[in-house]
């Protein structure tokens, strides 16, 4: 997923990883916590704890992914145009 979003994520290096971590947190964790709030009788303070704890985790995971995949991917795609799927002419 990081490789697919690499050119669209703002920033460079570890900051790019932090932004990626926040994006994944917003898409994956926040809806799950909201669903938990709706379906399960859990105190809102516990949900706030879950949100905070998971945000800290993803702020660590994102830069870790950037450290592992970022330099190699940036070097492999440097100067190459972004490939796009051909337009489907049958839908006109």
């Amino acid at each position: 997923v990081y490789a697919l979003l690499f050119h669209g994520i703002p920033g460079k290096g570890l900051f790019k990883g932090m932004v990626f971590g926040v994006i994944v947190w917003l898409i994956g964790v926040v809806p799950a916590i909201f669903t938990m709030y709706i379906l399960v009788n859990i105190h809102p303070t516990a949900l706030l704890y879950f949100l905070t704890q998971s945000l800290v985790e993803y702020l660590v995971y994102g830069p870790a992914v950037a450290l592992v995949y970022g330099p190699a991917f940036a070097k492999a795609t440097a100067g190459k145009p972004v490939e796009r799927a051909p337009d489907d002419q049958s839908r006109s």
Side-chain angles (χ1 to χ4, degrees), residues 8-40:
I9 300 172
K12 292 184 180 184
L14 293 180
F15 181 74
K16 184 180 280 259
M18 289 178 76
V19 172
F20 175 71
V22 170
I23 291 170
V24 173
W25 177 77
L26 285 171
I27 293 172
V29 175
V30 173
I33 297 294
F34 181 70
T35 303
M36 191 183 311
Y37 175 71
I38 292 173
L39 298 176
V40 182

Side-chain angles (χ1 to χ4, degrees), residues 14-69:
L14 293 180
F15 181 74
K16 184 180 280 259
M18 289 178 76
V19 172
F20 175 71
V22 170
I23 291 170
V24 173
W25 177 77
L26 285 171
I27 293 172
V29 175
V30 173
I33 297 294
F34 181 70
T35 303
M36 191 183 311
Y37 175 71
I38 292 173
L39 298 176
V40 182
N41 188 15
I42 295 179
H43 196 277
T45 305
L47 294 175
L48 184 61
Y49 170 76
F50 294 154
L51 278 173
T52 306
Q53 178 228 351
S54 62
L55 177 60
V56 170
E57 288 178 11
Y58 280 89
L59 286 174
V60 172
Y61 297 156
V65 169
L67 283 174
V68 172
Y69 294 106

